[in-house]
Amino acid sequence: MKIIITLMLGILVSACTTIKHSLFDMGVGVERSLSGLDRKEITINGYNWVYLETDDVSDKPVVILLHGFAAEKDNWTRMARFLDDYHVIAPDLPGHGESTYLPNDFYGFDQQSLRLADFINALGLKRFHLVGNSMGGAIAALYAYRHPNQVVTLSLIDAVGFYGDEQSELQRRIENNEPNPLIVRSEEDMARLMSFAMEQVPFLPWPATDVLADRAMAREQANDQIFQHIYQEAETARYSGGFNYVFEKLMMPTYVLWGEEDRVLHVSSVEKFLEHTPNVQTDVLPNIGHAPMLEVPEVTADLLQNFWQLSVVNHPVVDNALPESP
């Protein structure tokens, strides 16, 4: 009898999990539809990229959106709703979301920027605005450094690039060998992660948090590995002058947007971007954490669009204005 009851409970739990994931996927589909985004796939050099793209492009300016560590393409879905005049492309970077993860590969910023180049070439994109959050910001900057003629503007949202004069809470925890709050190992960790990463956590209807926790826990090993790769690269750069050599050569209009309450990357980093980036403007949002595009999607979209529009007016495109970097 105990065996039968155990089996029945297992079946019920499995059925409940399946229902929750199905409901979640339906909700995600609705969100994408409201934002005019379609899910697409392309395979390049052994990696299957899954990405979101505007369903009605009609010669709109292209914007590529790169998510951060342990995140994925739908981090941009709600913000994309306010970008009607742009052709949005938001990929799952390799190792994240639905895109391929190969455990023997390296997922540092530089290697990912080379994979991004393969993706952009495969889509036939020539000129675009490039946006990156956190890890995605470092990848975007390295891409822009190598391909300055393609990047109309570069926008960095709470981006990896420089350590500020003050340590972030994440840095302190890592240095004290405390658990990494960005990696989910239990259902409870998901709520803690959202509260740590964001100052204004957006409302998520049931069963979103449960499903997100399930999927993050399934990626625990991958996230551990990828975090080690990016942390190793960031620390190496930190003790060899940072990414100065990259940012000092970025001549395209660059926008740095930060949440004042960011616990992952301290807001004092903004001063370093101002110091080392030639053509930069910055904004700091009060009462916002590490993910402005999730916390205040409309505000973030408006700030980006204002920057893009003014940049195009003030810096008209001149073909072949800069040589491509090696």
Side-chain angles (χ1 to χ4, degrees):
M1 179 61 73
K2 288 183 179 179
I3 294 175
I4 293 173
I5 292 173
T6 301
L7 287 171
M8 290 177 65
L9 286 173
I11 292 169
L12 286 171
V13 169
S14 177
C16 182
T17 299
T18 300
I19 291 169
K20 287 197 295 185
H21 282 251
S22 296
L23 288 171
F24 176 80
D25 289 337
M26 287 173 59
V28 168
V30 170
E31 291 276 357
R32 292 174 184 172
S33 179
L34 290 171
S35 298
L37 297 174
D38 292 330
R39 179 189 178 280
K40 298 183 178 181
E41 299 183 48
I42 187 171
T43 299
I44 310 160
N45 296 334
Y47 277 92
N48 189 57
W49 290 69
V50 181
Y51 62 102
L52 300 177
E53 184 172 21
T54 303
D55 54 16
D56 175 23
V57 296
S58 58
D59 296 324
K60 297 175 181 178
V62 176
V63 175
I64 301 175
L65 305 172
L66 305 180
H67 62 76
F69 166 73
E72 48 90 43
K73 58 191 176 300
D74 278 297
N75 275 28
W76 303 103
T77 297
R78 289 185 178 176
M79 190 190 85
R81 199 165 303 163
F82 306 103
L83 300 178
D84 289 339
D85 295 329
Y86 292 87
H87 172 182
V88 172
I89 298 172
D92 279 334
L93 291 164
H96 296 78
E98 296 182 272
S99 291
T100 302
Y101 164 66
L102 299 175
N104 293 326
D105 281 359
F106 189 76
Y107 293 93
F109 309 114
D110 201 41
Q111 190 61 47
Q112 291 284 66
S113 75
L114 298 177
R115 294 187 184 111
L116 176 65
D118 292 337
F119 174 75
I120 288 170
N121 289 339
L123 294 187
L125 303 174
K126 302 301 182 185
R127 295 278 295 174
F128 44 84
H129 301 281
L130 187 56
V131 181
N133 170 238
S134 194
M135 174 193 76
I139 294 168
L142 285 161
Y143 182 91
Y145 168 73
R146 288 196 175 94
H147 308 278
N149 285 342
Q150 291 184 293
V151 180
V152 180
T153 67
L154 175 66
S155 298
L156 306 171
I157 302 176
D158 295 77
V160 174
F162 297 103
Y163 285 107
D165 289 333
E166 294 186 50
Q167 273 195 329
S168 70
E169 186 175 340
L170 176 65
Q171 283 178 274
R172 289 195 295 271
R173 292 194 187 193
I174 298 299
E175 289 188 6
N176 292 332
N177 293 316
E178 296 176 29
N180 186 340
L182 303 183
I183 297 179
V184 175
R185 307 184 194 280
S186 68
E187 290 184 3
E188 294 75 19
D189 282 349
M190 177 53 67
R192 283 194 286 266
L193 164 60
M194 291 193 292
S195 295
F196 183 85
M198 295 180 279
E199 187 69 11
Q200 297 186 33
V201 180
F203 169 74
L204 294 175
W206 184 90
T209 304
D210 292 351
V211 174
L212 289 171
D214 288 344
R215 295 182 178 179
M217 286 188 290
R219 300 190 57 80
E220 179 184 345
Q221 184 176 354
N223 288 339
D224 273 328
Q225 182 192 46
I226 294 170
F227 185 83
Q228 286 303 315
H229 291 173
I230 62 176
Y231 187 73
Q232 169 188 329
E233 202 163 335
E235 287 294 290
T236 299
R238 176 184 183 183
Y239 292 107
S240 60
F243 291 105
N244 295 13
Y245 74 95
V246 171
F247 290 94
E248 287 170 354
K249 291 183 172 61
L250 297 179
M251 298 302 168
M252 72 284 296
T254 301
Y255 181 45
V256 173
L257 178 64
W258 222 270
E260 189 173 31
E261 303 303 325
D262 192 340
R263 286 174 280 273
V264 178
L265 297 168
H266 196 272
V267 67
S268 60
S269 301
V270 172
E271 294 301 318
K272 302 298 182 182
F273 285 95
L274 280 168
E275 181 180 345
H276 294 286
T277 313
N279 189 12
V280 67
Q281 69 180 70
T282 66
D283 275 313
V284 175
L285 300 177
N287 303 312
I288 299 299
H290 187 62
M293 68 285 182
L294 287 169
E295 298 175 63
V296 282
E298 186 172 5
V299 170
T300 305
D302 287 346
L303 289 168
L304 288 171
Q305 288 179 98
N306 289 339
F307 168 67
W308 296 332
Q309 290 161 7
L310 287 173
S311 295
V312 169
V313 170
N314 295 330
H315 303 272
V317 173
V318 178
D319 288 338
N320 301 317
L322 292 169
E324 292 289 298
S325 297

